[in-house]
Amino acid sequence: MDELAMREEFDVNTPPIKGKAGWGRWLCALVFALLAAPAFAQALPYHADPSAREMSPTLTPVPAIRFLTTADFPPFNFRDASGELIGFNVDLARNICTEANVACTIQAWPWEQAASALSDSQGDALIAGLDMSAENGEKFDFSAVYLALPGRFVTRLGDVEAFDPDALAGKTVAVRTGSAHEAFMKRYLPDVALRGFATELEALAAVEDIAVDAFFGDGMRASFWLNDNLDCCGFAGEPYFRPAMFGEGLSIAVPAGSDSIRHAIDWALIKLKDNGTLDELYLRWFPVGFY
């Protein structure tokens, strides 16, 4: 899923991050979720290509990587109260440069200009969730996936432990109307009654209100909602990875043919996974783990 699609969802579904009061609620929820993290913490699956181990950046020296990102999409990339650029993507970019032993700069661009800036050689890599579409593939190459986007069930806390997706017949599951997750349910669990909602926020609220038995949708977006509803609900069952349906996940775009930079990034991602840094960053910025 590309960042534009996720932005549209978050603009609708996560109003707490907007405005001074909203920032306060979001930060308080983040701190509270961090304290509760042991109940939810999960490591990232191993997404990176093992062959990248052989693509040492020393084979073709990369003196520096100029990262481009955006500044209005928390918790991935945004500015804090002091104006500093922070977020999961920002921390990841800096750690990639440290691991690859190259100089690093990170510059924020408006979302609608970021890809063009990369095409115009105003940066070497774009870490902002650019869609790995065929159209973008004509202009850019992509790193290994560093964050997949699984589908997840959410139920009320009392139903989490005994949850069984094979026992949903006769129950009602909330989904966002027209979503890939609705299509997944219709294809793989056709006997389950579905109730469609205009947004995932409404669908998740229906679980809290006991209007439905469960929710199925994007795990990452659901994790943000759970940050504010830890006393109500939780993830149930296992994550579902269906790249063809839910999107391949998040990766880093580089100009087509920039193999030395892409190899350096892939090599660093392998190292960051192996030494635990990637998992640590994930748990820092996503305290309610969606894996």
Side-chain angles (χ1 to χ4, degrees):
M1 179 180 294
D2 63 289
E3 182 172 330
L4 179 59
M6 289 192 292
R7 281 162 178 265
E8 291 173 347
E9 275 296 320
F10 280 110
D11 285 346
V12 173
N13 291 352
T14 55
I17 65 175
K18 296 183 180 295
K20 291 184 178 180
W23 275 110
R25 291 195 298 273
W26 182 76
L27 289 172
C28 288
L30 180 61
V31 170
F32 182 74
L34 282 168
L35 295 175
F40 297 93
Q42 303 174 54
L44 280 87
Y46 207 107
H47 301 302
D49 180 1
S51 66
R53 296 174 184 273
E54 307 303 324
M55 299 176 182
S56 171
T58 59
L59 298 178
T60 305
V62 175
I65 300 178
R66 298 171 298 159
F67 275 101
L68 305 179
T69 188
T70 63
D72 60 351
F73 194 52
F76 290 97
N77 18 264
F78 63 105
R79 296 193 186 279
D80 64 12
S82 67
E84 181 182 0
L85 188 63
I86 62 173
F88 176 85
N89 282 341
V90 177
D91 283 351
L92 179 58
R94 289 174 176 152
N95 277 275
I96 286 172
C97 292
T98 298
E99 199 63 50
N101 195 28
V102 300
C104 185
T105 61
I106 306 174
Q107 187 179 50
W109 283 73
W111 167 249
E112 62 274 9
Q113 299 176 20
S116 295
L118 184 62
S119 295
D120 293 340
S121 300
Q122 298 190 59
D124 302 308
L126 175 60
I127 183 166
L130 187 68
D131 184 19
M132 289 183 280
S133 65
E135 180 182 358
N136 285 331
E138 295 178 358
K139 298 179 289 185
F140 307 112
D141 293 332
F142 293 88
S143 74
V145 171
Y146 62 84
L147 198 67
L149 304 174
R152 293 299 309 263
F153 283 101
V154 172
T155 68
R156 291 177 293 279
L157 289 178
D159 299 326
V160 167
E161 187 173 350
F163 178 80
D164 181 357
D166 294 326
L168 286 173
K171 297 185 178 181
T172 303
V173 174
V175 294
R176 180 167 62 86
T177 301
S179 67
H181 303 89
E182 180 185 43
F184 175 92
M185 290 294 298
K186 290 180 177 179
R187 177 174 179 178
Y188 294 105
L189 294 170
D191 296 330
V192 178
L194 301 181
R195 181 175 173 186
F197 292 85
T199 69
E200 293 192 341
L201 178 63
E202 295 175 10
L204 286 160
V207 179
E208 182 180 22
D209 295 339
I210 320 180
V212 297
D213 298 291
F215 160 87
F216 185 72
D218 181 79
M220 182 178 67
R221 292 196 291 269
S223 76
F224 297 150
W225 182 83
L226 288 173
N227 276 340
D228 293 326
N229 295 276
L230 292 172
D231 59 344
C232 150
C233 307
F235 286 124
E238 299 298 320
Y240 291 83
F241 295 95
R242 296 293 189 279
M245 299 186 75
F246 305 152
E248 294 186 58
L250 303 184
S251 65
I252 300 167
V254 301
S258 301
D259 290 343
S260 60
I261 293 175
R262 180 171 56 84
H263 290 171
I265 291 172
D266 281 345
W267 183 85
L269 287 173
I270 289 284
K271 300 293 286 185
L272 293 173
K273 175 60 181 176
D274 286 347
N275 65 28
T277 301
L278 191 57
D279 289 340
E280 188 275 328
L281 292 178
Y282 162 69
L283 293 174
R284 179 192 304 173
W285 290 105
F286 304 97
V288 177
F290 48 88
Y291 292 120

